[in-house]
Amino acid sequence: MTHEEILTLLGDYVDYLIANSSAEAPMWNIEKVRSGKPNKWNYIDGCMITACLSLYKTTGDEKYLSFSKDFIDFFVQEDGSIKTYDPKEYNLDNVNQGKNLFTLYDIFGDEKYRRAIDTIRSQLLTQPRTKEGNFWHKEIYPWQVWLDGTYMAQPFYMEYETRYNKMQGCIDSYKQFMNIKKHMRDEKTGLYYHGYDESRQMYWADPVTGCSPNFWLRAMGWFMVAMVDVLERMDEQLYNEYRGIMAQLRQTIENVHKFQDEETGMFWQVMDHPGVEGNYLETSGTALFAYAVLKGVRLGYLPKRMAAWAEKAFYGTCDRYLSKNPDGSLQLDGICLVAGLGGKDHRDGSLAYYFSEPVVCNDAKGVGPLVLAYTEMIARK
């Protein structure tokens, strides 16, 4: 396909997903579909609604806005409570969808969104933390910091503090990024490990460093986007902190780029083991890289030369995994369904573990980031 054909197809693909989805039954939430349980407030839908709202901002097409509003209104009640969401579950993943409430509040001015924003902020007030001050990823994972959690919680946290709390928590957010750099960055490659256990007690944690053993692509992708999204919401008055996260972002993108597949422009599921049996070129993490870099270049956080790396990743992913079925339906393949650390499934962070998780089509953890990258491609044009 030509680049123009790819962009047209992606527009059709988003329409196809929206037409076949509602808040009760989103076709892109494959975990939910497979479980057969009713839908809940979750980060996977959050990724997709963020992408739809971004498409609305970029194109001005009202269909994306009305779909997003209907979706979120299914959960958000007039008093600001959110159906199926409990702040005391202390799960950072559940904060992600909260970013979209700011957008809806700005557009519609409905106070229920403002109240719901406070509901989510209440979780972070008492979210358990490591001794150094980082949010635990979930209460059920004590003393653990995962890269994923930066994307899930920090942009919401930074936006809330900047808008409503006189920037009081902004330095706290910044320090959490610096602690991650201190503990989770590998000096040799410049890549970041998926997880860190401050207590060093988990079976996957290195007894010396506390880190999990490998560099999982999507975790790195979440982390890159988290830095861009936090910078976007951060006040430049925080001169040193603003530049600190920007320097961390630039250095990370430079280091990640070294692992970009020369032929396809994509990245491997476990980044530093290209071509190893069981490893594969993975959609979601590649799309997150493309989005982070394109947005970072547009907002002036990254040098313009990096945009070429992102475009190669974007078109490479579409060439390899975006296709039309014989019945006319569209699909995006090559998406790792889920990967985590610990728990009863003995998720030990090994290569074998990361290669064993299911690879699926049309899941929002891949679709959302690719659509976000697509909005940046439209903006570039």
Side-chain angles (χ1 to χ4, degrees):
M1 285 186 286
T2 67
H3 289 179
E4 286 304 321
E5 286 168 341
I6 283 172
L7 294 177
T8 303
L9 194 62
L10 266 172
D12 295 343
Y13 180 52
V14 177
D15 290 346
Y16 163 71
L17 291 171
I18 287 176
N20 289 283
S21 296
S22 66
E24 290 157 285
M27 74 170 286
W28 56 66
N29 194 331
I30 306 299
E31 286 174 76
K32 193 59 62 195
V33 171
R34 289 185 174 189
S35 76
K37 293 174 183 165
N39 199 24
K40 288 164 66 171
W41 180 263
N42 66 79
Y43 81 93
I44 300 162
D45 295 340
C47 292
M48 201 63 208
I49 298 303
T50 300
C52 287
L53 288 170
S54 183
L55 268 176
Y56 167 68
K57 288 177 198 167
T58 307
T59 66
D61 193 327
E62 294 281 338
K63 70 184 171 194
Y64 302 122
L65 178 61
S66 62
F67 177 81
S68 301
K69 184 180 188 303
D70 290 347
F71 198 102
I72 287 186
D73 284 351
F74 176 79
F75 293 99
V76 174
Q77 310 301 294
E78 284 304 321
D79 63 356
S81 62
I82 300 168
K83 268 196 293 199
T84 74
Y85 166 67
D86 176 9
K88 295 288 185 279
E89 197 183 316
Y90 294 126
N91 177 348
L92 287 187
D93 288 345
N94 292 337
V95 175
N96 177 48
Q97 178 79 285
K99 294 192 296 262
N100 299 319
L101 297 169
F102 292 110
T103 306
L104 293 180
Y105 184 53
D106 287 346
I107 294 168
F108 296 104
D110 190 330
E111 286 303 315
K112 74 175 182 181
Y113 299 127
R114 178 69 184 86
R115 290 190 279 269
I117 288 167
D118 281 337
T119 300
I120 292 180
R121 177 67 183 90
S122 73
Q123 175 183 327
L124 297 182
L125 279 174
T126 48
Q127 181 82 13
R129 294 173 179 250
T130 63
K131 293 189 177 77
E132 282 188 303
N134 279 55
F135 296 138
W136 293 5
H137 187 60
K138 298 181 185 179
E139 188 174 43
I140 59 169
Y141 299 139
W143 309 109
Q144 293 174 38
V145 180
W146 295 13
L147 290 183
D148 323 32
T150 55
Y151 172 81
M152 300 302 162
Q154 296 298 341
F156 173 89
Y157 185 30
M158 185 62 77
E159 184 155 5
Y160 187 96
E161 296 303 293
T162 303
R163 282 188 184 222
Y164 302 132
N165 201 26
K166 301 182 178 142
M167 302 200 288
Q168 286 185 36
C170 294
I171 304 290
D172 174 36
S173 180
Y174 162 78
K175 284 179 178 169
Q176 295 196 42
F177 279 95
M178 293 306 116
N179 286 337
I180 284 171
K181 187 176 180 180
K182 177 171 143 192
H183 293 293
M184 298 172 72
R185 184 175 183 270
D186 173 54
E187 285 301 319
K188 196 165 92 226
T189 59
L191 300 177
Y192 288 73
Y193 292 102
H194 184 179
Y196 164 69
D197 173 17
E198 187 182 54
S199 71
R200 316 286 198 272
Q201 295 303 302
M202 281 304 289
Y203 56 78
W204 51 256
D206 184 286
V208 178
T209 67
C211 288
S212 59
N214 281 297
F215 309 114
W216 179 43
L217 173 62
R218 184 154 76 226
M220 277 296 314
W222 293 133
F223 183 57
M224 290 183 279
V225 174
M227 288 186 277
V228 176
D229 283 358
V230 160
L231 285 168
E232 183 184 27
R233 292 159 168 83
M234 199 173 184
D235 194 302
E236 286 186 66
Q237 288 175 50
L238 299 166
Y239 186 88
N240 293 327
E241 292 79 11
Y242 187 76
R243 275 152 190 76
I245 291 181
M246 201 186 301
Q248 186 178 15
L249 171 68
R250 283 189 182 194
Q251 191 57 61
T252 303
I253 299 294
E254 290 279 9
N255 291 325
V256 167
H257 169 244
K258 293 173 188 159
F259 294 90
Q260 189 167 16
D261 182 62
E262 188 59 45
E263 187 189 343
T264 62
M266 292 189 71
F267 293 87
W268 295 81
Q269 161 79 337
V270 178
M271 298 179 66
D272 59 335
H273 291 277
V276 166
E277 189 180 347
N279 209 356
Y280 58 96
L281 296 163
E282 200 275 333
T283 294
S284 66
T286 303
L288 285 163
F289 171 84
Y291 172 55
V293 174
L294 290 168
K295 185 173 179 178
V297 169
R298 173 171 62 81
L299 296 174
Y301 311 143
L302 297 171
K304 289 190 170 66
R305 63 184 169 82
M306 291 183 174
W309 308 345
E311 291 199 6
K312 187 172 183 182
F314 174 79
Y315 287 120
T317 303
C318 294
D319 280 335
R320 190 176 187 89
Y321 286 128
L322 182 66
S323 62
K324 193 174 247 188
N325 296 317
D327 65 359
S329 63
L330 299 165
Q331 73 177 40
L332 181 68
D333 212 329
I335 303 164
C336 171
L337 180 60
V338 67
L341 294 163
K344 57 185 181 296
D345 305 324
H346 204 76
R347 303 183 299 178
D348 60 0
S350 65
L351 293 181
Y353 163 67
Y354 286 115
F355 301 161
S356 73
E357 287 288 12
V359 182
V360 298
C361 299
N362 297 342
D363 188 85
K365 294 183 286 287
V367 177
L370 192 70
V371 173
L372 284 164
Y374 164 64
T375 65
E376 292 295 334
M377 295 297 291
I378 296 170
R380 282 178 76 74
K381 293 205 174 303

